[in-house]
Amino acid sequence: MRPYPFRLLPLSTCVAGFAVSSWYASGDASLLPVAAITGALSALGIRDMLQDRHAVLRNYPVIGHLRYLLESIRPEIQQYFVESDNEQVPFSRTQRSLVYARAKKEPADRPFGTLTDVYGEGHEFIGHSVAPSGKPVPASLRVRIGGPDCGRPYSASVMNISAMSFGSLSANAIRALNKGAWLGGFAHDTGEGAISPYHLENNGDLIWEIGSGYFGCRDADGRFDPQRFRHNASNLAVKMIEVKLSQGAKPGKGGILPKEKITPEIAETRGIPMGIDCISPASHSAFSTPLEMMEFIQRLRELSGGKPVGFKMCVGHPWEVMSLVKAMLETRITPDFVVVDGSEGGTGAAPVEFTDHVGMPLRNGLILMRNALVGAGLKDRIRIGASGKIVSGFDIARAMALGADTVNSARGFMFALGCIQAQSCHTNRCPTGVATQDPSRQKALVVPDKAQRVCNFHKNTVSALADIVAAAGLTSPSDLRPHHLFKRVSPHEVVSFDSLYPFLEPGELLGGTANETYSRLWKIARPDSFNPVAA
């Protein structure tokens, strides 16, 4: 005789409880709820044993659901009870707490001492001076963007809101971000999802991002429409135009907006159908070579009335950067700015293989872009932006020491809006109303309050950058150089970044004096194709 399988004990208990409570309920009405609950659990258990999709439930009826419940709340358990303060998955509690404090104008100072292992390999820091300078006025830390061919240059803050589309974010989130940008005098990148009505409600400065889907400037076939572009680019709120080549979190793939998040309003804003996932093409149809891309940039500058035009990319093949620079030299057309997006950047939805294993991290891509422009003698015409996990004054200082003129932050400003890193952006069930199109969930995000927090976070973070600049004995973030930045490479050795990476001098690529790696990349790059010269 086979022994009784104790894995069925919960179901047996429910069945027995239902039978007993039902029998006695006729004389004792207080047992009716017990009968209802045990009856429902009994029915659930029988259903579990009959279904054929989940082996756990079939073998462990009723009690097996506990496994799925615990799995569903695992990210929250991990975040609140398991991970350490400095464990970055993807942002540490320390980083999030810093943003929350600065957004609420609460003290962000730390008592007692650092929680960071300053002797641990990889620790980075900026050297300070024994003769600190006066702190620069944070509001004055701005950068003029616009090369010699730009008729309407823009004075940008050193820190701006990175690309996040309406659709990925809720209407209230867009409203709050844009109003915060207006209050603080910095720019708000629209993301590739077009300029929505919510981007225009509060008069914040906009960087209009144009991806391969050409949302906001596309024809019925999804191709670039110059007349629609001219109309939207003429809006006074639009200060700059950014052509998106690739995004750090999913380079080589177009943007993804799950169909669950597409509302009639989003469909109208983007010019797309309802009921299917909105997936942008992986590449642009308006150009296919570096030379054609430079001509497209010039066309956008003319159609926009002379506004600054640039492009954003996550660096992949290094020779492609060189190809773009060679095309600039051959056409004598230069973008007004370039934004380097790191592979550590965020997204609403992307395949895990792409977020983890495709694309170059920010620091490597930034140094490559800086060297290509400097080595070709073009850096004085082009500003470099950087984006990828930038939330603190030190993050900004590090990027600027490596070649950036400005930085963009996306998830930092999401935290300022109240994001708790629930990592449910793609489900339309964001618990804070930031990344959802559910009207009832959006109501939790109160625009005036969150807009002020967005402004506060920007102001206090730029102020922290100004403090770092002063401590280093400098007068401006633009004075930061690789030799100001140090990294621990072992418990007993610290090296400066200018000894870790090569940093080219102006014109070295043109003069043939660059190091072997950069000389080889320059040699195989072609202005007429993104493919390298055949060996």
Side-chain angles (χ1 to χ4, degrees), residues 257-535:
L257 184 64
K259 61 185 178 183
E260 291 80 11
K261 297 183 70 173
I262 299 177
T263 65
E265 188 176 37
I266 292 172
E268 181 179 358
T269 297
R270 295 193 176 200
I272 58 174
M274 294 274 297
I276 59 175
D277 293 340
C278 176
I279 302 177
S280 302
S283 59
H284 281 260
S285 59
F287 56 86
S288 59
T289 70
L291 292 174
E292 291 177 355
M293 179 178 157
M294 293 306 120
E295 293 167 355
F296 183 64
I297 284 174
Q298 179 62 21
R299 188 183 185 194
L300 295 184
R301 190 183 285 130
E302 293 170 354
L303 289 170
S304 67
K307 294 181 179 181
V309 179
F311 64 88
K312 178 179 84 171
M313 69 181 297
C314 176
V315 176
H317 297 313
W319 61 80
E320 293 180 344
V321 173
M322 301 298 178
S323 293
L324 290 169
V325 173
K326 280 191 171 181
M328 297 175 199
L329 293 171
E330 183 165 324
T331 61
R332 297 185 179 181
I333 299 171
T334 53
D336 298 293
F337 65 94
V338 174
V339 176
V340 179
D341 202 16
S343 62
E344 63 268 49
T347 181
V352 67
E353 292 87 352
F354 280 76
T355 57
D356 290 349
H357 301 293
V358 180
M360 193 174 289
L362 173 59
R363 285 171 233 175
N364 304 93
L366 177 58
I367 292 170
L368 178 66
M369 183 64 72
R370 178 264 178 207
N371 282 341
L373 294 176
V374 170
L378 295 175
K379 179 60 185 68
D380 60 334
R381 301 163 63 100
I382 303 169
R383 298 288 179 254
I384 299 178
S387 60
K389 294 190 75 170
I390 294 176
V391 296
S392 72
F394 174 75
D395 295 336
I396 302 174
R398 177 176 55 205
M400 299 186 81
L402 299 180
D405 298 292
T406 63
V407 303
N408 298 331
S409 177
R411 286 169 292 180
F413 283 103
M414 287 178 67
F415 291 142
L417 288 175
C419 169
I420 61 172
Q421 197 171 275
Q423 300 181 58
S424 58
C425 309
H426 61 301
T427 66
N428 206 31
R429 297 193 297 273
C430 171
T432 59
V434 175
T436 178
Q437 300 307 311
D438 184 332
S440 63
R441 290 177 179 267
Q442 288 191 48
K443 290 180 180 178
L445 199 159
V446 180
V447 173
D449 174 60
K450 301 305 183 184
Q452 188 60 58
R453 293 190 183 191
V454 166
C455 177
N456 293 342
F457 168 59
H458 175 273
K459 179 180 178 180
N460 291 324
T461 304
V462 173
S463 180
L465 169 66
D467 285 330
I468 291 174
V469 169
L474 308 174
T475 59
S476 169
S478 61
D479 296 330
L480 287 163
R481 295 292 183 270
H483 64 262
H484 292 119
L485 192 62
F486 296 87
K487 184 170 186 173
R488 181 170 292 282
V489 295
S490 75
H492 56 273
E493 185 179 6
V494 170
V495 296
S496 61
F497 267 65
D498 62 340
S499 61
L500 276 176
Y501 301 95
F503 288 89
L504 302 188
E505 296 297 324
E508 278 198 88
L509 287 173
L510 302 179
T513 58
N515 65 45
E516 181 180 351
T517 299
Y518 277 92
S519 294
R520 181 182 62 84
L521 291 173
W522 185 253
K523 183 178 180 180
I524 65 175
R526 302 166 52 186
D528 62 337
S529 173
F530 287 108
N531 295 320
V533 174

Side-chain angles (χ1 to χ4, degrees), residues 51-207:
Q51 60 85 35
D52 57 8
R53 293 188 60 190
H54 302 286
V56 170
L57 295 181
R58 198 165 186 175
N59 278 332
Y60 297 89
V62 181
I63 195 66
H65 287 277
L66 185 59
R67 180 259 185 191
Y68 295 99
L69 172 64
L70 292 175
E71 184 181 50
S72 69
I73 62 173
R74 180 183 180 277
E76 288 79 6
I77 297 296
Q78 175 78 18
Q79 181 180 146
Y80 291 115
F81 301 109
V82 178
E83 72 179 43
S84 68
D85 285 345
N86 288 334
E87 189 175 349
Q88 298 187 29
V89 282
F91 284 85
S92 69
R93 178 178 293 277
T94 297
Q95 290 173 308
R96 299 194 305 271
S97 297
L98 176 67
V99 177
Y100 296 149
R102 286 181 171 162
K104 298 175 184 177
K105 297 182 70 173
E106 295 176 350
D109 299 334
R110 174 181 291 162
F112 211 68
T114 181
L115 300 178
T116 300
D117 180 7
V118 298
Y119 293 100
E121 186 174 334
H123 176 63
E124 297 173 350
F125 60 94
I126 285 179
H128 69 282
S129 172
V130 295
S133 64
K135 178 180 177 179
V137 178
S140 71
L141 302 184
R142 307 189 71 85
V143 177
R144 183 185 184 275
I145 300 178
D149 298 325
C150 176
R152 298 165 68 178
Y154 175 64
S155 176
S157 169
V158 293
M159 181 186 188
N160 301 285
I161 301 173
S162 196
M164 294 180 284
S165 301
F166 170 57
S168 293
L169 298 193
S170 68
N172 276 4
I174 295 294
R175 286 182 173 114
L177 288 171
N178 194 256
K179 187 171 183 178
W182 176 75
L183 290 170
F186 52 99
H188 176 194
D189 193 311
T190 65
E192 68 171 295
I195 304 171
S196 73
Y198 310 110
H199 286 101
L200 302 174
E201 282 187 12
N202 294 295
N203 302 311
D205 291 348
L206 293 178
I207 303 169

